[in-house]
Amino acid sequence: MERIASFTVDHNKLVPGLYYSRRDGDTVTFDLRFKKPNTGDLLSNSEMHSVEHLIATLLRNSEDKEAVIYFGPMGCQTGFYFLFDNRLLSLEGAIELLQEVFTAAANFEGEMPGKSAVECGNYVNLDVDTGKAVCKFYADLIADWTVEKLSYD
């Protein structure tokens, strides 16, 4: 069998950042990497879940919401996938959108979106302050990201 694209990345050399993973027709996938797997310092379940709720909500409420296909966690807990329609959002635009929503999430005021038993099957591990802290780290990391930086080394 063919290996999937994310398995071709050397996780021993992986550094946090924003990377172009693949293109399937008009759908582009970005890898948002937060932690180095070989350090054992993975994102916790609460960190992953809290970031997911904040960022997915902000993406789906952005001016570019029609271009957003998916935002969700990687099973290995090193980051997230962001899929978007390249007909509606350029690579540059996608980077700018992520910079905007991570900055907005870092400064988010209010209750955690979707934090109830009705809205989320595991709402008890959501924490707005945890999500904001992780989003601040990532917003700072990608603040000056460009298309030229999208490639894995």
Side-chain angles (χ1 to χ4, degrees), residues 17 65 96 100 116-117:
K65 64 184 176 186
E96 289 172 15
E100 290 169 14
S116 75

Side-chain angles (χ1 to χ4, degrees), residues 58-103:
L58 292 169
L59 283 170
R60 291 186 179 111
N61 282 279
S62 73
E63 290 183 11
D64 294 306
K65 64 184 176 186
E66 296 303 318
V68 175
I69 296 171
Y70 175 75
F71 177 83
M74 295 178 173
C76 62
Q77 293 177 261
T78 61
F80 297 86
Y81 295 112
F82 173 51
L83 283 71
F84 61 94
D85 186 331
N86 195 225
R87 294 171 301 173
L88 302 175
L89 190 63
S90 66
L91 297 178
E92 294 88 351
I95 293 169
E96 289 172 15
L97 176 59
L98 290 170
Q99 290 166 331
E100 290 169 14
V101 297
F102 273 93
T103 298

Side-chain angles (χ1 to χ4, degrees), residues 1-149:
M1 276 199 242
E2 272 186 52
R3 289 186 337 177
I4 62 172
S6 62
F7 292 169
T8 64
V9 175
D10 185 342
H11 284 66
N12 292 314
K13 296 178 182 176
L14 184 66
V15 296
L18 176 60
Y19 302 101
Y20 181 97
S21 176
R22 60 184 291 146
R23 182 180 181 134
D24 299 289
D26 294 316
T27 302
V28 172
T29 301
F30 278 1
D31 289 355
L32 287 70
R33 300 291 181 149
F34 283 61
K35 305 276 182 164
K36 295 181 184 179
N38 60 338
T39 65
D41 191 18
L42 304 178
L43 293 172
S44 71
N45 289 334
S46 179
E47 288 172 322
M48 294 289 293
H49 197 192
S50 298
V51 169
E52 177 190 17
H53 273 240
L54 288 170
I55 298 301
T57 298
L58 292 169
L59 283 170
R60 291 186 179 111
N61 282 279
S62 73
E63 290 183 11
D64 294 306
K65 64 184 176 186
E66 296 303 318
V68 175
I69 296 171
Y70 175 75
F71 177 83
M74 295 178 173
C76 62
Q77 293 177 261
T78 61
F80 297 86
Y81 295 112
F82 173 51
L83 283 71
F84 61 94
D85 186 331
N86 195 225
R87 294 171 301 173
L88 302 175
L89 190 63
S90 66
L91 297 178
E92 294 88 351
I95 293 169
E96 289 172 15
L97 176 59
L98 290 170
Q99 290 166 331
E100 290 169 14
V101 297
F102 273 93
T103 298
N107 297 303
F108 186 82
E109 295 295 328
E111 297 294 317
M112 173 65 77
K115 187 177 179 176
S116 75
V118 171
E119 298 166 297
C120 179
N122 192 17
Y123 70 97
V124 296
N125 80 345
L126 289 169
D127 181 76
V128 73
D129 290 331
T130 297
K132 287 171 63 170
V134 176
C135 288
K136 169 131 181 48
F137 159 79
Y138 201 70
D140 291 346
L141 179 73
I142 66 167
D144 65 347
W145 219 261
T146 63
V147 170
E148 292 75 30
K149 292 183 174 183

